[in-house]
Amino acid sequence: MTRPANVPGTAPRTMRELRIAREGKRRAAAKVDGNPLREGLRLERVPDPHVMVLFGATGDLSHRKVFPALAQLWRTNLLPQDWMLVAFGRRPYDDEAFRAEIGKSLDQWSRVKLEPEVARQFLERITYHQGDFADDAAFDRLAARLDEMDREHGTSGHRLFYLATQPSAFPLVVGQLGRTGLDHEVHGGGWRRIVIEKPFGRDLDSAKRLNREVGKVFRESQVYRIDHYLGKETVRNLMVFRFGNGIFEPLWNRRYVDHVQITMAESIGVEERGSFYEETGATRDVVQNHLLQLLSLVAMEPPATFEADALRDEKVKVLRAIPEPTRAEVARSAVRGQYGPGWVGGEAAKGYREEHEVDPESETETFLATRLQVDDWRWSGVPFYLRAGKRLPKRATEIAIQFKDVPHRLFERAATDPEPNLLAIRIQPDEGILLRFGSKVPGLGLDIRTVTMDFTYGSAFNTDSPDAYETLILDAMLGDASLFTRADEVEAAWTIATPVVDSWLDGPAPDFPNYAAGSWGPEASDALIEQDGRHWRRI
């Protein structure tokens, strides 16, 4: 598609000029901001012109997360000018009616409110395509429509398919894309990529089947399995923190680390997702993906290069080093719970079995605590404690690296004994890093107190971090798979989680509910870590 040449005094039109203009604005903003930590931020990359096809475009995930993330990318000039989105859904909409619905969602869910003109330009690039996933004719029309858009907008056959559908629809949509040849990457014909939301399978067998179904159509290099936790700013910084600083990596092993705690606490219940949660539970919903991903990032070896496969190779090695739990080990090292009525944030909260679309005698777990071992040279003998739950006292996700105590109590006559050193990486909220150490209290005598050095992203950089979906969607458009899970990684995680789920399904009925809403989980969770002479960190 030919664009008019630049005229002096007019806005830049070529991609190179757009990038130069964006960099000029960025530098000017940094100078006005006056914050030296923002100087030198990398020049943002802009993806190739392409068409994005969003399946499940009328669903809750698309309205809450995907469209607002795309709008922010458009607002910050990170999408190409020749970008279009085809929203695929079953409901009867025309373009104008659907754009009006998306406009309402942007008003409600956008991280930063869009200026009216920016919102108008963004919505103009969305077109609606009605069809059923099982309807061959709908996908035939989609293929013809995409070819037409390539000619009109100069998108050169570049296409990103995003599956924001129910997991049961994944194989059906992938099969239709294969039948119509929309997966084909021919020489000079543009790239084709597919983003698949979690959950990727319900257990190891279903994950393997889904991998096979996807592999029949797309090559692994074309597949982007999304876990939004990997797009969070603090998670991405974990690799920089470990491998970009010389003072921490020498301590990051069994000689100096006593244990690791990874906590994902939510104060909310299941809200309106009772039927979904009944099919998943805490183990499938967050442990198999989010928490094991965080564990693998903490425990991984330094990759040879900062490239996607090198990073993912090291993460897979960690997961494979965790022994598959036996039934006896599950009984000893895993605790499940379900919340009952209680109080959260000063407000009464009903129990899980009283939630909408939940079985009154449900045995679904809303809490899980477990102890895992990584049997490799670096971490042998160091326990990793994981816990996740709903209706806990507060919302917080944290990785706590507990270092070993000093070998000799030199200050045992001090008034107080300092606690062992701890490094806490806060994923959400109040993203940052905390270091705990002992220090002498000023004054006569020897009084030692525990103090902290606390770094927070918001105050240090004076900038609003992008949403995880913004980061991950942009990376998929750029072809950077570093923050996406690979097929063998998914299967390795299910190898750990499936025996836990199966053991509970085959065992006796649990005594649920066993913790009150607003508490930190069942008493057995405290006993799990206390039997090792440790305790959960108070968040």
Side-chain angles (χ1 to χ4, degrees):
M1 180 176 177
T2 304
R3 288 178 163 179
N6 247 15
V7 178
T10 64
R13 304 302 297 273
T14 68
M15 188 59 66
R16 179 175 179 273
E17 290 167 331
L18 283 169
R19 287 172 176 157
I20 293 172
R22 290 190 189 98
E23 176 64 1
K25 291 179 181 178
R26 184 194 64 73
R27 291 183 183 276
K31 290 179 181 178
V32 171
D33 185 90
N35 188 337
L37 289 177
R38 296 192 65 188
E39 290 288 354
L41 296 177
R42 67 175 177 85
L43 174 64
E44 298 92 342
R45 294 173 294 167
V46 178
D48 299 321
H50 67 279
V51 180
M52 178 175 174
V53 182
L54 178 60
F55 296 96
T58 59
D60 185 67
L61 175 63
S62 295
H63 282 259
R64 283 178 179 241
K65 294 294 185 180
V66 181
F67 281 115
L70 290 167
Q72 294 302 312
L73 293 176
W74 180 263
R75 179 185 68 85
T76 52
N77 296 320
L78 291 175
L79 293 182
Q81 291 297 309
D82 293 324
W83 172 82
M84 295 293 293
L85 185 143
V86 176
F88 194 113
R90 287 176 289 188
R91 299 178 189 175
Y93 283 109
D94 59 23
D95 286 351
E96 291 304 316
F98 185 72
R99 289 168 182 167
E101 289 296 315
I102 299 305
K104 295 176 184 176
S105 296
L106 297 183
D107 289 339
Q108 184 176 4
W109 301 110
S110 285
R111 178 174 60 85
V112 177
K113 186 174 177 60
L114 274 66
E115 295 292 332
E117 179 61 18
V118 174
R120 183 191 65 79
Q121 293 174 357
F122 172 73
L123 293 172
E124 282 180 350
R125 280 156 177 78
I126 300 174
T127 182
Y128 189 74
H129 186 88
Q130 184 182 358
D132 191 276
F133 298 149
D135 183 6
D136 291 355
F139 279 83
D140 292 338
R141 294 195 307 272
L142 175 65
R145 190 170 189 177
L146 294 177
D147 288 339
E148 181 180 350
M149 295 176 84
D150 285 338
R151 293 189 294 271
E152 291 181 358
H153 300 282
T155 47
S156 305
H158 300 310
R159 291 162 191 172
L160 179 69
F161 303 106
Y162 195 118
L163 272 58
T165 68
Q166 291 292 335
S168 58
F170 293 167
L172 186 58
V173 175
V174 169
Q176 289 282 23
L177 295 175
R179 183 189 63 81
T180 52
L182 289 172
D183 61 305
H184 293 171
E185 288 183 332
V186 295
H187 180 67
W191 48 256
R192 310 290 168 91
R193 300 172 189 144
I194 184 167
V195 178
I196 304 178
E197 275 282 350
K198 77 171 189 72
F200 199 88
R202 283 182 48 80
D203 52 25
L204 180 58
D205 289 341
S206 61
K208 287 181 176 179
R209 286 196 301 271
L210 184 53
N211 274 331
R212 286 196 299 269
E213 292 297 321
V214 173
K216 292 176 183 177
V217 178
F218 291 92
R219 300 190 310 277
E220 180 61 29
S221 61
Q222 297 176 276
V223 182
Y224 293 72
R225 298 170 188 82
I226 193 169
D227 182 342
H228 72 273
Y229 250 64
L230 294 184
K232 291 183 179 295
E233 196 69 37
T234 319
V235 175
R236 297 165 64 210
N237 187 54
L238 181 56
M239 289 180 285
V240 177
F241 181 80
R242 279 196 60 191
F243 307 130
N245 296 289
I247 64 174
F248 295 108
E249 184 59 23
L251 309 178
W252 213 268
N253 56 64
R254 69 185 187 279
R255 292 185 60 192
Y256 301 100
V257 176
D258 179 78
H259 71 279
V260 178
Q261 295 182 26
I262 303 177
T263 297
M264 178 180 170
E266 295 181 280
S267 59
I268 62 172
V270 295
E271 298 181 298
E272 299 301 317
R273 303 193 321 163
S275 60
F276 166 79
Y277 212 81
E278 279 288 271
E279 296 180 4
T280 55
T283 310
R284 291 188 177 99
D285 188 37
V286 297
V287 176
Q288 179 273 333
N289 39 67
H290 300 337
L291 294 193
L292 287 180
Q293 286 291 327
L294 295 180
L295 185 155
S296 65
L297 289 171
V298 170
M300 66 186 282
E301 293 296 321
T305 62
F306 199 68
E307 295 178 354
D309 277 337
L311 289 169
R312 298 192 290 185
D313 285 345
E314 298 302 333
K315 289 168 62 184
V316 171
K317 289 178 184 178
V318 172
L319 296 175
R320 288 176 176 168
I322 299 174
E324 181 178 338
T326 64
R327 190 175 300 273
E329 287 167 342
V330 171
R332 289 194 307 267
S333 304
V335 172
R336 56 176 165 164
Q338 184 190 96
Y339 65 85
W343 294 82
V344 180
E347 297 184 359
K350 56 188 176 183
Y352 175 73
R353 294 181 176 184
E354 300 165 357
E355 300 277 12
H356 180 59
E357 295 184 333
V358 170
D359 183 352
E361 298 182 356
S362 174
E363 297 181 3
T364 301
E365 80 280 3
T366 62
F367 178 96
L368 171 71
T370 186
R371 179 179 61 243
L372 298 175
Q373 297 282 344
V374 179
D375 288 344
D376 63 8
W377 190 267
R378 180 184 290 261
W379 296 108
S380 181
V382 177
F384 285 74
Y385 298 97
L386 279 59
R387 62 173 171 168
K390 289 188 174 294
R391 284 300 187 197
L392 301 184
K394 62 189 295 187
R395 172 178 174 262
T397 301
E398 180 188 86
I399 301 169
I401 314 295
Q402 177 74 65
F403 293 97
K404 291 183 177 180
D405 205 351
V406 293
H408 175 56
R409 294 284 185 177
L410 186 62
F411 303 107
E412 59 184 5
R413 293 184 180 180
T416 48
D417 203 13
E419 298 179 74
N421 301 133
L422 177 134
L423 180 69
I425 301 167
R426 295 191 302 270
I427 308 299
Q428 66 178 14
D430 303 323
E431 294 87 348
I433 300 171
L434 176 147
L435 180 63
R436 184 179 74 193
F437 56 94
S439 177
K440 179 187 176 300
V441 177
L444 299 175
L446 185 61
D447 187 10
I448 300 176
R449 298 285 175 86
T450 297
V451 297
T452 60
M453 294 177 63
D454 201 346
F455 155 77
T456 58
Y457 279 85
S459 60
F461 291 101
N462 194 26
T463 184
D464 190 18
S465 298
D467 179 77
Y469 273 88
E470 296 171 39
T471 297
L472 293 172
I473 291 173
L474 181 62
D475 279 356
M477 291 175 174
L478 292 166
D480 184 351
S482 302
L483 300 177
F484 295 85
T485 51
R486 207 167 54 190
D488 55 349
E489 189 177 349
V490 171
E491 294 178 11
W494 275 119
T495 299
I496 301 165
T498 299
V500 176
V501 175
D502 289 347
S503 176
W504 287 340
L505 289 175
D506 297 339
D511 185 18
F512 282 165
N514 60 356
Y515 72 97
S519 69
W520 278 105
E523 293 180 0
S525 169
D526 295 329
L528 171 70
I529 191 170
E530 287 171 0
Q531 69 184 358
D532 298 335
R534 303 178 176 96
H535 61 273
W536 290 112
R537 167 173 153 77
R538 181 178 295 178
I539 297 179

